[in-house]
């Protein structure tokens, strides 16, 4: 589509940004207790939770609160689907006290929600998202012929429920590649959570030279990974001198089982 310049026009753009870390903005809202709420309980139990929403502005803030599903993969796909469409969604278990709230200027609202875990045969981890979105006030001062941009901030709060004493942790290394970018080599690792439990694996790489001497120990940051989802991690190899190496790549999930593979690398 081609847009031509117009002498008089009015354009309103709504920008929705998913915030993954707690952040305050002038005149907006922020989530001050956490963006990940994790519970472990039994089937048939009733769980209570709350989201602390702060109004950072000088005016009352109208806020919309709603549920979505959540899925992602190592290729970069992120899907906030309709509630209950993911087979491991807990969205239909979550009861919101309200769909809309108004937060007075400078105050904190403790928005409460409940999770009614079904009595079905449930195994492992289930999850979904509660979205908290600030609804901007309409700009009544807009002048004809000017562009008006209205920004709306929304937060995705992950609600995780694990059925206690059930589930099995399992990981698969989908693909491990030695790549180079701007003269810097790194290891790219694609991982699938093939089990039934929520995991937060810590990746480490033990490197040995052709004499069997240890030449390095490298690691990556942790990233959450739900059953059936996958992630892409990178380990920077710039500290390792050129040469041929054997390496042990390990994913430590915090459970008794540790997942690893042997690698041969030439830098």
């Amino acid at each position: 589509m081609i847009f031509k310049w117009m002498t008089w026009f009015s354009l309103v753009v709504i920008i929705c940004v998913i915030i993954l870390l707690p952040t305050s903005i002038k005149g907006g809202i922020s989530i001050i207790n956490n963006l990940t709420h994790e519970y472990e309980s039994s089937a048939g139990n009733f769980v209570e939770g709350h989201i602390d929403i702060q109004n950072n502005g000088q005016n009352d803030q109208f806020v919309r609160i709603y549920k979505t599903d959540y899925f992602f993969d190592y290729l970069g796909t992120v899907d906030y689907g309709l509630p209950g469409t993911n087979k491991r969604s807990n969205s239909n278990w979550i009861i919101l006290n309200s769909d809309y709230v108004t937060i007075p200027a400078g105050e904190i609202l403790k928005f409460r929600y409940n999770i009614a875990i079904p009595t079905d045969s449930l195994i492992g981890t289930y999850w979904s998202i509660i979205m908290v979105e600030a609804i901007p006030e309409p700009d009544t001062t807009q002048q004809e012929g000017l562009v008006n941009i209205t920004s709306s901030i929304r937060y995705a709060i992950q609600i995780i429920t694990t059925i206690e004493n059930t589930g099995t942790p399992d990981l698969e290394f989908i693909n491990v590649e030695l790549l180079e970018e701007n003269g810097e080599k790194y290891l790219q690792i694609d991982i699938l959570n093939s089990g039934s439990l929520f995991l937060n694996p810590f990746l480490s790489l033990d490197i040995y030279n052709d004499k069997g001497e240890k030449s390095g120990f490298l690691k990556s940051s942790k990233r959450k990974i739900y059953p059936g989802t996958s992630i892409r991690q990178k380990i920077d190899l710039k500290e390792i001198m050129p040469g041929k190496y054997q390496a042990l790549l390990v994913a430590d999930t915090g459970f008794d089982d540790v997942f690893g593979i042997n690698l041969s690398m030439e830098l």
Side-chain angles (χ1 to χ4, degrees), residues 2 6 12 19 45 47 61 117 139 153 179 209 211 219:
I2 299 175
M6 298 164 53
V12 177
I19 303 296
N45 280 359
V47 178
Q61 178 64 63
I117 304 176
D139 185 0
I153 301 298
L179 300 175
N209 62 22
K211 296 179 181 179
K219 57 186 180 181

Side-chain angles (χ1 to χ4, degrees), residues 17-232:
V17 181
I18 302 299
I19 303 296
L20 299 180
L21 293 173
T23 307
S24 296
I25 63 169
K26 184 178 180 181
I29 62 171
S30 56
I31 307 300
I32 61 175
N33 58 333
N34 212 325
L35 292 182
T36 301
H37 297 190
E38 187 173 359
Y39 305 95
E40 185 172 347
S41 191
S42 300
N45 280 359
F46 193 79
V47 178
E48 297 180 349
H50 61 89
I51 302 168
D52 295 343
I53 311 168
Q54 180 169 351
N55 180 357
N56 305 305
Q58 298 178 352
N59 299 308
D60 292 355
Q61 178 64 63
F62 192 47
V63 177
R64 180 189 177 204
I65 301 171
Y66 58 100
K67 301 180 291 183
T68 75
D69 276 358
Y70 179 43
F71 177 85
F72 54 87
D73 64 26
Y74 72 97
L75 295 174
T77 300
V78 179
D79 181 24
Y80 296 93
L82 293 175
T85 53
N86 187 332
K87 67 179 182 179
R88 283 199 165 268
S89 172
N90 63 0
S91 182
N92 292 333
W93 311 352
I94 300 172
I95 305 164
L96 303 179
N97 288 343
S98 176
D99 295 329
Y100 294 93
V101 295
T102 299
I103 307 175
E107 294 194 8
I108 297 172
L109 172 70
K110 190 179 292 290
F111 179 85
R112 300 186 184 278
Y113 62 87
N114 299 308
I115 306 173
I117 304 176
T119 57
D120 304 342
S121 297
L122 302 171
I123 297 175
T125 300
Y126 300 80
W127 73 96
S128 63
I129 292 287
I130 295 178
M131 288 286 190
V132 177
E133 181 177 0
I135 305 300
E137 294 183 5
D139 185 0
T140 58
T141 64
Q142 179 183 342
Q143 299 179 16
E144 186 177 5
L146 296 179
V147 175
N148 180 43
I149 298 178
T150 304
S151 62
S152 175
I153 301 298
R154 64 175 181 168
Y155 292 83
I157 294 91
Q158 300 176 50
I159 310 297
I160 307 167
T161 51
T162 297
I163 309 304
E164 59 185 8
N165 301 319
T166 70
T168 304
D170 201 3
L171 281 180
E172 292 181 17
F173 292 98
I174 303 173
N175 191 37
V176 179
E177 285 187 280
L178 180 62
L179 300 175
E180 184 174 347
E181 184 176 352
N182 298 324
E184 302 285 351
K185 291 189 177 182
Y186 62 92
L187 202 63
Q188 179 174 281
I189 307 125
D190 300 330
I191 307 171
L192 169 69
N193 184 341
S194 53
S196 54
L197 288 173
F198 165 72
L199 302 174
N200 198 9
F202 170 78
L203 290 182
S204 63
L205 185 69
D206 273 304
I207 303 174
Y208 300 87
N209 62 22
D210 53 7
K211 296 179 181 179
E213 300 168 336
K214 192 166 184 175
S215 301
F217 176 77
L218 305 174
K219 57 186 180 181
S220 72
S221 58
K222 288 185 175 183
R223 282 186 59 190
K224 300 180 182 70
I225 178 170
Y226 298 105
T229 66
S230 56
I231 58 173
R232 171 166 288 173

